[in-house]
């Protein structure tokens, strides 16, 4: 589904991603872990098409199409979804009409007519229930005055509505209490299928207790330095990122750079 | 006198000299007022950019046409009706009063039986001392020469009186239609009197039909609110190329009265200049002024507001927002006076602008003049572009860039349209925002984000 090859990117001439390679197949869940500043969120931003990132090398293919060549909205219509680390508040845009617009745009791209109001409402109720998202929140302005947890739940509600192929969850667990984390994870688990894939970016192993990944990758200094199964996450949790930095230093000191 | 609009100026002098005959039934005090107002205009002429209040709004190009002052309405009834339909507010249960070039057209109107809400043409009541004493009562002719010109020369308009203690059964929709085959100069004059503890809601819609000829509207509306009166006033200004509109609205408030104004100015009209002036002359009175202006290429929308706190314990809130496309121009000049006696005043004023064109220009000038020492006042102004993070968020959900920008413009404007307490009117205003053509959205250099 997604193929990232030797991806290099920078922001304001500062190199952030330094050669990422990653293959994601339908049905898989990949976790990307790493210390702060390692480039996790940057990878999410580059995949979603945030404009201030410059890709300097490498390619990203989604079902064989050049993802990096597409505008952010085209990526979304092709099935990429980014659950934002910091969802934006947009007063004056109603949550539900925003979703209706987004869904219509995506459907139009696929040659489908917009959903009838009744169908849309039905779908929306069903998906709200999935993430226990309060109907009163759905009718308010987009994220305006929402708590941190409500905003994150709204991201997953949107994900459920738009049914993307590839979902990238950027630190969705940060700022969530245990109950909210459980609800969000349960929602994601219900949405998992053999057709879609998830990239879960997180600093903590905790989320991976609930959403069990097929693969765990460790990002450090703009590169994936380790890949493994869910046990790798446990090891990291136990030993911390310093252990990783030290072990990297031992194995390949030449790769280390002073930033 | 200056050399702006010289031919028109001379036409005004001729007209005034001949106007005596048609004003014979008016009271002596009004005749005197007209004379004084005309003297001011004659002395100083049309406003020019040398006048502080007109620095950024040059009337000169709009005064060159060979305007006629008394133009008979020559337009097909069907065209008028079609235009009228376009102003209809769906699901709003309201009386309807239609004026064509400033004259009431009863055949197009739907009015209540004569009763506690009195509606008539202004001309009918100009012989009454009781009514005519309110004309120009609180108007500073010296500072507002176009309003003075209106005072000197107006022929007719509309008179509304809400009796003491009455709440008008339904709101009133006043539709101003303008039409011109030849260049026309129209000077409507309206007076609204609210008795003690009365309540009234009205909306003014403006639309222009017929011909391409320039129309210059120099209108004056005066509202007088007695103790405890409550007036809600919505304004939707829509027009066509060639239309120029100067609207002076004078509101006088006695104690414990409340005035709410929401003014939306849509693109197309060449020039809109609104002068909204509110005098809070009784303690406990309050006013809430909201405005949204959306000038398009080559258009200028100028809002000059004055809120005068003349007594203690009054409150004023003001929020004006502008969305400027391509080469649009706008002016916001908001003045708040807090007189020495007006202790415990709360006065707030804010002006926010979204600049969408690289040639768009806004002059924003919030002003506070405070002479009292125990008050809460603030004012501010911002100019910016789309927040890139909001834009990215919408696009990341599959919404195309143009539509995403449109949504953000609507969201920006919703701050104003949401102040309308009538749901039907609020929907109507939002619908007009939706239909507003965002023709050329451009990326402009980053300044500051709102």
């Amino acid at each position: 589904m997604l193929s990232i090859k030797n991806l290099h990117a920078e922001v304001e001439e500062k190199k952030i991603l330094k050669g990422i390679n990653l293959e994601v197949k339908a049905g898989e869940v990949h976790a990307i872990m790493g210390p702060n500043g390692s480039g996790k969120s940057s990878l999410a931003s580059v995949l979603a098409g945030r404009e201030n990132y410059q890709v300097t090398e490498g390619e990203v293919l989604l079902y064989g199409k050049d993802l990096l060549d597409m505008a952010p909205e085209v990526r979304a219509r092709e099935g990429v979804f980014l659950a934002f680390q910091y969802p934006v508040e947009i007063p004056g845009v109603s949550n539900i009409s925003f979703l209706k617009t987004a869904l219509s745009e995506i459907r139009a791209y696929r040659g489908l007519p917009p959903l009838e109001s009744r169908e849309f409402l039905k779908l929306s109720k069903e998906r709200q229930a999935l993430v226990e998202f309060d109907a009163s929140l759905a009718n308010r302005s987009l994220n305006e005055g929402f708590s941190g947890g409500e905003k994150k739940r709204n991201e997953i509600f949107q994900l459920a509505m738009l049914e993307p192929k590839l979902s990238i969850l950027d630190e969705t667990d940060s700022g969530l209490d245990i109950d909210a984390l459980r609800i969000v994870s349960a929602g994601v688990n219900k949405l998992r299928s053999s057709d879609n894939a998830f990239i879960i970016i997180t600093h903590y192993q905790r989320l991976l207790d609930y959403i069990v990944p097929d693969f765990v990758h460790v990002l450090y200094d703009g590169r994936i330095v380790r890949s493994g199964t869910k046990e790798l996450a446990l090891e990291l949790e136990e030993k911390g990122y310093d252990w990783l930095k030290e072990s990297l230093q031992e194995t390949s000191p030449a790769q280390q750079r002073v930033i | 006198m200056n050399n702006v609009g010289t031919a028109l100026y001379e036409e005004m002098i001729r007209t005034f000299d001949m106007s005596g005959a048609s004003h014979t039934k008016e009271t002596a005090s009004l005749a005197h007022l007209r004379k004084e107002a005309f003297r001011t205009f004659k002395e100083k002429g049309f406003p020019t950019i040398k006048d502080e209040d007109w620095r950024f709004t040059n009337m000169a190009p709009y005064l060159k046409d060979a305007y006629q002052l008394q133009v008979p309405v020559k337009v097909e009834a069907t065209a008028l009706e079609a235009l009228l339909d376009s102003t209809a507010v769906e699901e709003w249960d309201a009386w309807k009063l239609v004026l064509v070039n400033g004259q009431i057209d009863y055949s197009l109107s739907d009015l209540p039986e004569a009763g506690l809400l009195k509606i008539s043409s202004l001309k009918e009541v100009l012989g009454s001392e009781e009514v005519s004493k309110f004309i120009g009562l609180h108007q500073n002719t010296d500072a507002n020469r176009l309003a003075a010109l209106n005072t000197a020369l107006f022929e007719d308009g509309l008179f509304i009186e809400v009796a003491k203690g009455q709440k008008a059964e339904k709101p009133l929709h006043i539709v101003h239609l303008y039409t011109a085959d030849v260049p026309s100069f129209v000077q409507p004059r309206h007076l609204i009197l609210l008795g003690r503890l009365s309540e009234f809601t009205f909306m003014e819609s403006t639309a222009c039909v017929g011909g391409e000829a320039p129309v210059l509207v120099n209108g004056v509306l005066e509202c007088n609110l007695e103790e405890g009166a409550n007036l809600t006033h919505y304004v939707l200004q829509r027009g066509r190329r060639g239309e120029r509109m100067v609207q002076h609205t004078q509101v006088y408030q006695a104690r414990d009265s409340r005035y709410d104004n929401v003014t939306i100015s849509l693109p197309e009209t060449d020039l809109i200049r609104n002068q909204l002036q509110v005098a809070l002359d009784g303690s406990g009175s309050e006013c809430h002024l909201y405005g949204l202006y959306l000038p398009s290429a080559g258009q200028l929308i100028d809002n000059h507001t004055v809120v005068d706190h003349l007594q203690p314990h009054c409150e004023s809130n003001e929020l004006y927002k502008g969305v400027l496309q391509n080469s649009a121009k706008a002016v916001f000049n908001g003045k708040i006076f807090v007189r020495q006696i007006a202790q415990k005043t709360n006065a707030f004023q804010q002006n926010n602008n979204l600049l969408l064109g690289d040639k768009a220009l806004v002059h924003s000038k919030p002003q506070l003049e405070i002479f009292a020492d125990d008050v809460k006042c603030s004012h501010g102004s911002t100019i910016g572009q789309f927040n890139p993070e909001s834009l990215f968020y919408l696009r990341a959900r599959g919404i195309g860039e143009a539509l995403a920008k449109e949504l953000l413009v609507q969201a920006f404007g919703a701050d104003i349209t949401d102040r309308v307490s009538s749901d039907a009117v609020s929907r109507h205003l939002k619908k007009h925002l939706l239909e507003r053509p965002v023709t050329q959205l451009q990326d402009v250099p980053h300044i500051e984000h709102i």
Side-chain angles (χ1 to χ4, degrees), chain A residues 3-145:
Chain A
S3 167
I4 304 176
K5 287 188 186 119
N6 191 30
L7 182 64
H8 287 68
E10 54 185 48
V11 176
E12 289 161 5
E13 292 175 18
K14 187 179 173 219
K15 292 182 170 49
I16 307 282
L17 301 181
K18 303 169 182 173
I20 303 255
N21 291 291
L22 185 66
E23 292 286 329
V24 179
K25 293 194 178 67
E28 293 177 349
V29 174
H30 290 248
I32 295 186
M33 302 184 70
N36 287 330
S38 58
K40 303 189 299 288
S41 285
S42 297
L43 176 61
S45 293
V46 169
L47 293 179
R50 199 186 284 273
E51 266 162 8
N52 50 341
Y53 284 85
Q54 299 289 323
V55 174
T56 51
E57 228 185 301
E59 64 170 11
V60 180
L61 301 176
L62 182 75
Y63 289 113
K65 288 189 199 167
D66 182 1
L67 189 74
L68 300 175
D69 202 31
M70 299 174 194
E73 58 268 34
V74 178
R75 300 181 195 203
R77 294 167 193 168
E78 287 281 351
V80 176
F81 183 96
L82 171 65
F84 281 61
Q85 184 179 5
Y86 304 109
V88 186
E89 294 192 18
I90 310 184
V93 171
S94 114
N95 212 351
I96 207 77
S97 73
F98 149 73
L99 260 179
K100 202 171 178 183
T101 308
L103 191 60
S104 298
E105 293 261 289
I106 291 171
R107 287 176 64 90
Y109 184 78
R110 295 173 189 165
L112 297 168
L115 281 185
E116 297 279 331
S117 286
R118 197 149 30 97
E119 292 172 75
F120 177 81
L121 273 176
K122 190 170 158 251
L123 181 72
S124 143
K125 269 194 188 140
E126 196 184 300
R127 300 295 150 93
Q128 278 170 41
L130 199 67
V131 288
E132 299 182 28
F133 190 69
D134 196 325
S136 68
L137 292 177
N139 289 316
R140 276 190 10 209
S141 272
L142 188 47
N143 291 326
E144 191 189 14

Side-chain angles (χ1 to χ4, degrees), chain B residues 36-322:
Chain B
E36 285 300 305
F38 194 71
R39 200 166 49 83
T40 308
F41 173 77
K42 196 175 174 182
E43 240 173 65
K44 296 186 174 165
F46 286 104
T48 76
I49 49 170
K50 286 180 189 151
D51 294 293
E52 182 60 29
D53 269 348
W54 292 85
R55 254 177 79 197
F56 305 113
T57 301
N58 187 6
M59 282 294 285
Y62 306 115
L63 296 170
K64 285 180 182 152
D65 296 286
Y67 293 109
Q68 296 186 19
L69 271 78
Q70 304 286 348
V71 192
V73 176
K74 276 190 298 182
V75 68
E76 296 283 324
T78 48
L80 275 185
E81 276 161 25
L83 183 66
L84 193 57
D85 283 345
S86 75
T87 66
V89 181
E90 273 175 47
E91 291 171 38
W92 193 42
D93 188 16
W95 302 111
K96 183 169 64 180
L97 180 59
V98 180
L99 294 104
V100 182
N101 288 3
Q103 298 262 1
I104 299 179
D105 186 325
Y106 287 104
S107 68
L108 294 172
S109 302
D110 172 22
L111 295 174
E113 301 286 314
L116 297 161
L117 173 65
K118 193 168 145 192
I119 300 175
S120 78
S121 89
L122 186 64
K123 207 178 177 73
E124 274 173 50
V125 291
L126 289 179
S128 147
E129 200 64 54
E130 274 301 288
V131 173
S132 72
K133 71 176 184 199
F134 286 104
I135 291 176
L137 184 59
H138 306 291
Q139 195 180 313
N140 179 350
T141 46
D142 216 37
N144 302 294
R145 272 130 62 198
L146 283 171
L149 180 64
N150 177 296
T151 301
L153 287 175
F154 78 86
E155 286 296 323
D156 205 354
L158 150 75
F159 172 65
I160 297 174
E161 188 175 18
V162 188
K164 185 172 111 181
Q166 291 303 311
K167 178 177 194 255
E169 185 193 340
K170 286 192 208 179
L172 177 69
H173 188 189
I174 301 172
V175 185
H176 303 280
L177 301 182
Y178 295 100
T179 164
D181 293 328
V182 293
S184 306
F185 192 96
V186 194
Q187 303 204 75
R189 180 82 177 205
H190 313 300
L191 177 65
I192 298 182
L193 302 179
L194 261 72
R196 198 170 169 267
L197 296 169
S198 66
E199 249 183 87
F200 184 51
T201 295
F202 74 113
M203 169 167 166
E204 291 186 272
S205 296
T206 319
C208 200
V209 71
E212 297 298 302
V215 183
L216 177 56
V217 181
N218 177 34
V220 173
L221 162 67
E222 288 172 288
C223 304
N224 198 86
L225 279 67
E226 287 183 21
E227 228 179 285
N230 195 329
L231 179 63
T232 304
H233 182 190
Y234 307 129
V235 182
L236 179 62
Q237 297 173 318
R238 212 159 49 103
R240 63 149 160 83
R241 291 279 145 170
E243 187 182 359
R244 300 89 194 246
M245 200 153 53
V246 179
Q247 177 61 42
H248 185 96
T249 302
Q250 189 81 45
V251 181
Y252 178 83
Q253 293 188 244
R255 65 174 294 173
D256 299 326
S257 63
R258 176 180 170 133
Y259 174 68
D260 285 272
N261 178 301
V262 180
T263 298
I264 314 275
S265 310
L266 297 173
E268 288 306 303
T269 313
D270 291 347
L271 166 75
I272 295 177
R273 158 92 171 199
N274 291 318
Q275 301 179 167
L276 175 57
Q277 308 199 344
V278 183
L280 295 163
D281 198 14
S283 63
S285 56
E286 56 181 290
C287 68
H288 304 267
L289 315 178
Y290 297 100
L292 178 64
Y293 45 94
L294 308 148
S296 56
Q299 192 196 0
L300 168 59
I301 299 180
D302 174 351
N303 281 290
H304 262 66
T305 66
V306 176
V307 177
D308 198 351
H309 284 262
L310 294 154
Q311 296 293 332
H313 296 283
C314 294
E315 184 183 330
S316 66
N317 275 307
E318 185 175 5
L319 174 63
Y320 269 71
K321 294 183 115 178

Side-chain angles (χ1 to χ4, degrees), chain B residues 27-38:
Chain B
T27 59
S29 60
L30 179 56
H32 178 71
L33 182 75
R34 285 187 187 267
K35 211 184 260 174
E36 285 300 305
F38 194 71

Side-chain angles (χ1 to χ4, degrees), chain A residues 48-51 71-73 76-77 80-84 87-93 98 101-102 105-106 142-143 155 158 162, chain B residues 387-404 406-415 418 430 443:
Chain A
R50 199 186 284 273
E51 266 162 8
E73 58 268 34
R77 294 167 193 168
V80 176
F81 183 96
L82 171 65
F84 281 61
V88 186
E89 294 192 18
I90 310 184
V93 171
F98 149 73
T101 308
E105 293 261 289
I106 291 171
L142 188 47
N143 291 326
E155 294 295 291
Q158 293 174 24
L162 302 179
Chain B
N387 180 337
E389 194 57 27
S390 301
L391 201 55
F392 177 63
Y393 190 82
L394 296 176
R395 294 177 72 190
R397 294 295 175 257
I399 299 174
E401 190 176 0
L403 184 56
E406 188 62 55
L407 282 176
L408 291 178
V409 168
Q410 283 168 38
F412 183 77
D415 220 3
D418 286 348
K430 281 183 182 149
D443 283 320

